[in-house]
Amino acid sequence: MPGAVVAVRYRSARLGGSVGGDWYDVIPPADGGVGLAIGDVQGHDTDAAVVMGQVRMVLSAYVAEGHPSATALARTSVFLRELDTDRFATCTYVHADLATGLLRIVRAGHLDALVRHRDGTCRWIPSAGGLPLGLSAEFAGSGAIDYPVTRAVLAPGETLLLCTDGLVEVPGTDLGTPMGLLAGSVAAGPEGVEDPEAPEAPEDIDALAARLLDRADDVHGGDDMAVLLLRRDDPPHPATR
């Protein structure tokens, strides 16, 4: 897409059924920029996959209609609550303005977003979050659902990562440890070598996405997993005469 390169990957769970509730989406909002969504419907069965398809479609529709990020997630939560299901869903949605790099992050019980800087360092963006989709509508009752918006900036050449917990969740292990390992893998790039003498952003983020899933599958591949990467392009150089 103009202004950025995107790579996505999904892998189904090895345990249980071959379907699950993880999803990703790249959405063109009505106000420009790009919308990035990733989420996980509770369960690893056909019902989870069916609910996932509905939630993904509804969130995409609300974003495309021009609703603000927090409103789109709130309305999706109400939709899920009104379905004939007891499933809930976690989700992180990011509206990215590719011209300025401004990110608007809304999180519904899901993992934070990760940024890889041009110098090779990585950091998780701490963002205020709300309850998972479905649950927030249940506990809000007749009141408004409030999803806070966290703002950050993605500089040219930096890479944004969204993922589901299948990439980091290891039974019996504190979540901070595998999240740190994932950040290290992103820093190392698609070749798996962290070179401080060559701190440029990874050129092939598609290969990086594949490598991240392969690594997670080798370590703890029992869950389905999804990853979405976006690298913001450098601005075009002005023409010279």
Side-chain angles (χ1 to χ4, degrees):
M1 67 180 65
V5 179
V6 173
V8 295
R9 283 290 189 282
Y10 170 80
R11 189 165 298 172
S12 60
R14 290 202 306 247
L15 302 178
S18 60
V19 296
D22 286 16
W23 90 91
Y24 60 79
D25 208 354
V26 180
I27 311 163
D31 60 351
V34 61
L36 309 171
I38 199 156
D40 183 2
V41 173
Q42 176 193 21
H44 303 96
D45 54 20
T46 304
D47 287 345
V50 170
V51 173
M52 175 271 290
Q54 294 173 299
V55 169
R56 179 176 180 265
M57 178 180 64
V58 167
L59 176 59
S60 178
Y62 283 138
V63 170
E65 286 176 359
H67 295 285
S69 305
T71 302
L73 252 68
R75 292 193 173 197
T76 303
S77 183
V78 172
F79 168 82
L80 180 53
R81 175 60 181 161
E82 292 176 349
L83 281 181
D84 184 21
T85 179
D86 58 358
R87 307 297 176 101
F88 63 86
T90 65
C91 179
T92 294
Y93 175 76
V94 180
H95 179 283
D97 184 328
L98 299 178
T100 65
L102 178 63
L103 306 176
R104 294 181 178 88
I105 305 168
V106 185
R107 193 167 60 85
H110 200 78
L111 296 172
D112 283 320
L114 177 77
V115 169
R116 185 191 194 275
H117 302 289
R118 296 198 76 146
D119 65 1
T121 60
C122 292
R123 71 180 180 95
W124 295 93
I125 303 174
S127 54
L131 291 171
L133 305 177
L135 292 182
S136 60
E138 178 179 353
F139 284 98
S142 59
I145 303 171
D146 182 23
Y147 280 114
V149 179
T150 299
R151 288 171 171 79
V153 174
L154 188 71
E158 293 186 337
T159 300
L160 179 74
L161 175 142
L162 302 176
C163 69
T164 57
D165 60 8
L167 267 77
V168 296
E169 198 168 63
V170 180
T173 302
D174 180 78
L175 193 60
T177 299
M179 288 178 70
L181 293 173
L182 175 61
S185 295
V186 176
E191 301 303 323
V193 179
E194 192 169 1
D195 182 1
E197 301 300 322
E200 292 298 314
E203 290 298 322
D204 190 351
I205 63 170
D206 191 67
L208 175 58
R211 178 178 176 272
L212 293 176
L213 260 65
D214 287 342
R215 177 196 165 277
D217 204 30
D218 290 340
V219 176
H220 49 84
D223 197 2
D224 54 337
M225 57 187 84
V227 63
L228 190 161
L229 294 164
L230 177 142
R231 188 188 70 233
R232 186 181 171 208
D233 290 341
D234 288 316
H237 296 291
T240 57
R241 295 183 179 181

